[in-house]
Amino acid sequence: MSIPLSVLDPLPVLDGMTHGDAVEAGIALARRADALGYRRIWYTEHHNQEGYAASATSVLIAHVAARTRRIRVGAGGVMLPNHSPLVVAEHFGTLATLHPDRIDLGMGRGVGGTSSPTLRALRRDSSAADAYPEHVRELRAYLWEGTDASEVRAIPGTGTRVPLYVLGSSVSGARLAASLGLPYCFASHFAPAALEEAVDVYRTEFRASPQNAEPYVIAGVNVTAARTTEEAREQARLTQHLLAERLVPERAPLSAEQAQAVLDSPTGREVLRRYRYSAVGDPGEVARYLDWFGRHARADELIIEFQTRTAEARAISLEAVAEEALPAGA
């Protein structure tokens, strides 16, 4: 394969883990991804969700960047409705000052949790998402366009030119990224429906900017890889079982038969459709799928979320992908 591969890590709290365990497993994953040649590792922003330890995104980025050498580290992404653009610019300007040419800033318009309770706790208004395009422009001005004559400057931040990425799963997000000349990261790993249309709109309407002369698409994809096909399929089955348990009240434990019944329900089938783009198999099978998906998505880069039930299985997936799918000399 010639397409670069990256990692998206929500710091899942896997079987038997504490939140501290999840963070430590994430650091170990980042260090190994760095050594294997993955291009970047990004961290998500989740609030009020027990299953993930990724909430303070910029703190995680600082910690991981200090413990890796080459890999780019960033947000995939910062949910702008939750934050002041100036504060985000200051955080990422500081990160870029500490780790030059290694920090990325992906931006989303979601909340990163159950909307109403999370917004109340964050002291944000539900209309904040409507201002997302203006917030992206304001953030870019702080990091890319600010001058000494500006009334408000991000310090550190102004002049750091931290690379910006628009995250989304819709045509509207594609149009925003195209109009600003920014890379577009499509969330096809959990919201695949508009992938082809959004990428077509983005590539057609793209206008060059100081950051990007050409369009650049990153597409999300799920991976469950193992030494053998059977082992990978068993990991995928266990992951789907967990999805089923999350769909029932109080996340009650389910037998294999009960989990399958949940997944066979209309709600279960809809959830499984969200994971349409998933590679499951041995290293060769996964590499062939990623090659196909990269062409299907017309992507310049793929970003992988590993779907497993244990940290050990996630590390095996990371290694298996690198064995067959990372570009030579990555």
Side-chain angles (χ1 to χ4, degrees), residues 18-40:
T18 65
H19 290 104
D21 294 334
V23 172
E24 289 302 315
I27 295 168
L29 192 80
R31 289 172 63 89
R32 190 60 187 144
D34 186 28
L36 289 169
Y38 286 85
R39 174 164 289 188
R40 64 185 97 235

Side-chain angles (χ1 to χ4, degrees), residues 27 30-31 34 63-71 73 102:
I27 295 168
R31 289 172 63 89
D34 186 28
H63 195 73
V64 171
R67 285 156 180 77
T68 51
R69 297 179 55 204
R70 175 206 54 83
I71 195 168
V73 189
R102 290 189 58 209

Side-chain angles (χ1 to χ4, degrees), residues 63-127:
H63 195 73
V64 171
R67 285 156 180 77
T68 51
R69 297 179 55 204
R70 175 206 54 83
I71 195 168
R72 298 190 65 85
V73 189
V78 167
M79 300 294 103
L80 284 186
N82 300 341
H83 309 283
S84 154
L86 175 61
V87 172
V88 175
E90 290 171 339
H91 285 191
F92 279 79
T94 301
L95 287 167
T97 302
L98 292 168
H99 306 284
D101 293 325
R102 290 189 58 209
I103 302 300
D104 298 326
L105 174 50
M107 305 161 292
R109 67 180 299 157
V111 176
T114 306
S115 297
S116 296
T118 302
L119 282 171
R120 285 196 299 270
L122 291 167
R123 306 297 191 268
R124 306 296 286 178
D125 187 86
S126 59
S127 64

Side-chain angles (χ1 to χ4, degrees), residues 35 64 80 144 147 152 160 167 234 240 272 284 329:
V64 171
L80 284 186
W144 281 75
T147 68
V152 177
T160 55
L167 278 56
E234 176 62 12
Q240 289 188 352
L272 291 179

Side-chain angles (χ1 to χ4, degrees), residues 4-308:
L5 300 179
S6 297
V7 177
L8 181 67
D9 192 357
L11 295 188
V13 183
L14 301 169
D15 287 351
M17 280 185 168
T18 65
H19 290 104
D21 294 334
V23 172
E24 289 302 315
I27 295 168
L29 192 80
R31 289 172 63 89
R32 190 60 187 144
D34 186 28
L36 289 169
Y38 286 85
R39 174 164 289 188
R40 64 185 97 235
I41 187 164
W42 283 359
Y43 296 96
T44 57
E45 179 183 334
H46 293 278
H47 300 285
N48 195 31
Q49 296 189 49
E50 280 292 331
Y52 302 106
S55 56
T57 315
S58 58
V59 176
L60 287 170
I61 292 168
H63 195 73
V64 171
R67 285 156 180 77
T68 51
R69 297 179 55 204
R70 175 206 54 83
I71 195 168
R72 298 190 65 85
V73 189
V78 167
M79 300 294 103
L80 284 186
N82 300 341
H83 309 283
S84 154
L86 175 61
V87 172
V88 175
E90 290 171 339
H91 285 191
F92 279 79
T94 301
L95 287 167
T97 302
L98 292 168
H99 306 284
D101 293 325
R102 290 189 58 209
I103 302 300
D104 298 326
L105 174 50
M107 305 161 292
R109 67 180 299 157
V111 176
T114 306
S115 297
S116 296
T118 302
L119 282 171
R120 285 196 299 270
L122 291 167
R123 306 297 191 268
R124 306 296 286 178
D125 187 86
S126 59
S127 64
D130 297 334
Y132 174 66
E134 289 72 27
H135 289 172
V136 172
R137 292 183 178 93
E138 182 181 347
L139 186 52
R140 183 170 70 169
Y142 287 134
L143 293 171
W144 281 75
E145 300 165 9
T147 68
D148 290 343
S150 299
E151 183 177 353
V152 177
R153 301 172 64 218
I155 304 171
T158 299
T160 55
R161 295 197 161 199
V162 175
L164 305 176
Y165 299 78
V166 173
L167 278 56
S169 58
S170 67
V171 172
S172 63
R175 286 205 162 97
L176 175 64
S179 69
L180 296 175
L182 296 177
Y184 187 46
C185 307
F186 192 89
S188 35
H189 59 300
F190 72 85
L195 171 64
E196 293 166 82
E197 181 184 7
V199 171
D200 184 64
V201 166
Y202 170 71
R203 290 194 176 278
T204 300
E205 299 184 8
F206 181 86
R207 296 187 297 191
S209 72
Q211 180 176 323
N212 281 76
E214 302 289 338
Y216 194 87
V217 172
I218 302 177
V221 61
N222 301 292
V223 167
T224 306
R227 291 292 119 208
T228 68
T229 303
E230 292 72 23
E231 290 170 344
R233 288 177 178 170
E234 176 62 12
Q235 280 296 321
R237 185 192 69 78
L238 292 172
T239 303
Q240 289 188 352
H241 190 123
L242 179 61
L243 287 175
E245 290 182 341
R246 288 175 174 172
L247 292 175
V248 300
E250 299 180 1
R251 298 189 178 183
L254 301 176
S255 68
E257 293 75 16
Q258 289 170 328
Q260 191 58 53
V262 171
L263 295 172
D264 287 339
S265 70
T267 300
R269 289 195 297 271
E270 176 57 33
V271 169
L272 291 179
R273 278 194 287 270
R274 299 177 193 171
Y275 294 86
R276 179 193 313 169
Y277 296 122
S278 296
V280 178
D282 64 27
E285 290 170 321
V286 169
R288 288 189 291 275
Y289 184 93
L290 294 178
D291 181 62
W292 168 82
F293 177 67
R295 289 182 279 107
H296 172 74
R298 299 172 63 195
D300 300 288
E301 180 179 335
L302 300 181
I303 190 161
I304 296 168
E305 183 171 344
F306 293 105
Q307 299 292 343
T308 67

